[in-house]
Amino acid sequence: MNIEEKYSYGEWQNCIKMENKEIELICTTDVGPRIVWFSLRGNQNMFKEFKQEQGKTGGQQWRSYGGHRLWHSPEAKPRTYYPDNETVDYEIENQKVRLIQNTEPTTGMQKQMEITFLGQNQVRVVHRITNHNLWDIRFAPWSITVMNTGGRAIIPQEPFVDWEERLTPVRPIALWGYTDMSDSRWLWGKKYIQLKQDPQKRTKQKLGVLNTLGWMAYVLGKQVFVKKYDYRPDNMYPDFGVNNEFYTDSDILEMETLGSYESVAGEDYVEHTEYWHLFKAEIGTEEESIDKNLIPLLNRI
């Protein structure tokens, strides 16, 4: 595994590149914290890049930049939309890179990401938010990955159970006011819900689910990005109790996980961990194809 400091990418001069024989990851220290690239070596970026925003720093306008970011939930303006346009401190230790944001002056909160290569195609990303106020704040860490265009998210359904075996519900689903369940980008299946990113579709779609199975996937060409996390049944989650959220429009598809929704005392912090995996595979939209080509990959993790 190799870490290249002061790597230039996308007009940002102060990036850090992490790579091994299988995968490449780039994070920038000019703004953020942001991870701006993740792929199998020699393949396209799994993450969306907004070319018109690359290299920009400073200012009070919030920019997505694409890639992977950390927010605090529930979503609200202006709190959530603090513009992460300033440089971040960083530390490199063994196989780890830690990105450390300055405390946000408008919220009193500070974001950190710790990125560690665990294996040939595995990365751990620890998200930490510290409350530097003198008072408690209730929020949840919210990990948002902005995926590249033209792909498809796969969300596992809870295991099917006949009504004679269980009379109580198995998962909450949260819908936004602009969610259209008849939109052709949704594929509602018995085993999986799928959401396609379509650059020709101008309307927005969003869905939240409580996902106790601990994984989601994004298929882009022959690359498959799998995001895993720990589900904790004793935790409370925001937005009607969901720990996964999926959003799409004509530019992006976001795959989001949420940590516990709780009151955080001054100078205390919360952490939320994701495990990223990349595979090479061809996975069709049919549930039989997902069972045959994706589930064996998950079983190898």
Side-chain angles (χ1 to χ4, degrees), residues 63-75:
R63 307 184 191 104
S64 168
Y65 299 114
H68 178 78
R69 69 180 186 270
L70 174 60
W71 269 12
H72 20 79
S73 179
E75 186 169 3

Side-chain angles (χ1 to χ4, degrees), residues 21-291:
K21 294 180 179 179
E22 298 290 335
I23 57 178
E24 299 175 322
L25 182 150
I26 302 171
C27 50
T28 178
T29 64
D30 286 322
V31 295
R34 288 289 192 286
I35 300 172
V36 297
W37 180 286
F38 189 52
S39 75
L40 292 169
R41 294 195 64 170
N43 284 263
Q44 67 174 315
N45 193 1
M46 292 294 293
F47 295 169
K48 172 70 177 183
E49 302 176 69
F50 287 99
K51 299 293 186 181
Q52 69 274 21
E53 295 179 348
Q54 289 183 338
K56 292 186 176 181
T57 62
Q60 296 304 308
Q61 179 184 4
W62 183 82
R63 307 184 191 104
S64 168
Y65 299 114
H68 178 78
R69 69 180 186 270
L70 174 60
W71 269 12
H72 20 79
S73 179
E75 186 169 3
K77 285 186 177 181
R79 175 183 56 79
T80 310
Y81 287 81
Y82 175 77
D84 300 334
N85 298 335
E86 302 172 358
T87 59
V88 297
D89 293 329
Y90 68 92
E91 300 170 355
I92 298 176
E93 177 185 354
N94 297 327
Q95 306 286 307
K96 298 179 183 178
V97 171
R98 188 175 296 112
L99 305 174
I100 307 165
Q101 177 201 45
N102 293 326
T103 300
E104 298 176 349
T106 58
T107 69
M109 291 191 271
Q110 180 186 41
K111 303 167 185 167
Q112 294 186 36
M113 289 187 198
E114 183 180 274
I115 308 155
T116 307
F117 273 39
L118 299 179
Q120 291 302 310
N121 67 341
Q122 302 177 41
V123 174
R124 180 179 64 217
V125 184
V126 179
H127 308 84
R128 174 184 286 191
I129 302 180
T130 303
N131 175 18
H132 287 301
N133 293 287
L134 298 177
W135 51 85
D136 296 3
I137 298 179
R138 193 174 186 219
F139 66 93
W142 185 8
S143 170
I144 302 175
T145 309
V146 186
M147 308 307 300
N148 212 336
T149 55
R152 170 172 42 100
I154 300 175
I155 310 157
Q157 292 273 36
E158 298 297 308
F160 183 84
V161 179
D162 286 326
W163 75 272
E164 294 94 344
E165 299 178 41
R166 179 166 180 164
L167 299 178
T168 54
V170 295
R171 88 168 350 160
I173 294 180
L175 303 178
W176 273 251
Y178 51 86
T179 306
D180 178 2
M181 297 174 74
S182 68
D183 190 285
S184 61
R185 284 168 288 185
W186 295 109
L187 299 175
W188 303 94
K190 182 176 180 179
K191 293 184 176 181
Y192 309 99
I193 301 170
Q194 299 180 70
L195 176 59
K196 296 182 287 185
Q197 198 290 321
D198 186 347
Q200 304 303 315
K201 292 278 191 175
R202 306 300 300 177
T203 57
K204 307 175 189 302
Q205 296 293 323
K206 188 165 185 179
L207 174 79
V209 300
L210 179 65
N211 184 349
T212 69
L213 302 178
W215 68 269
M216 60 178 69
Y218 191 76
V219 179
L220 182 65
K222 295 183 180 180
Q223 288 188 103
V224 183
F225 171 64
V226 174
K227 182 188 285 198
K228 299 199 72 177
Y229 54 89
D230 290 332
Y231 165 67
R232 303 181 186 278
D234 295 331
N235 284 359
M236 293 186 63
Y237 294 100
D239 297 340
F240 297 140
V242 301
N243 64 346
N244 287 185
E245 293 178 0
F246 302 85
Y247 167 88
T248 193
D249 57 28
S250 59
D251 293 321
I252 60 172
L253 188 148
E254 291 181 344
M255 301 213 307
E256 312 165 4
T257 66
L258 298 112
S260 180
Y261 185 35
E262 58 190 80
S263 182
V264 181
E267 299 307 322
D268 202 356
Y269 64 87
V270 290
E271 288 187 344
H272 174 59
T273 301
E274 292 184 340
Y275 297 88
W276 296 356
H277 309 263
L278 271 179
F279 300 99
K280 196 167 189 177
E282 294 188 55
I283 300 173
T285 58
E286 304 83 7
E287 296 205 331
E288 294 78 7
S289 179
I290 297 172
D291 285 345

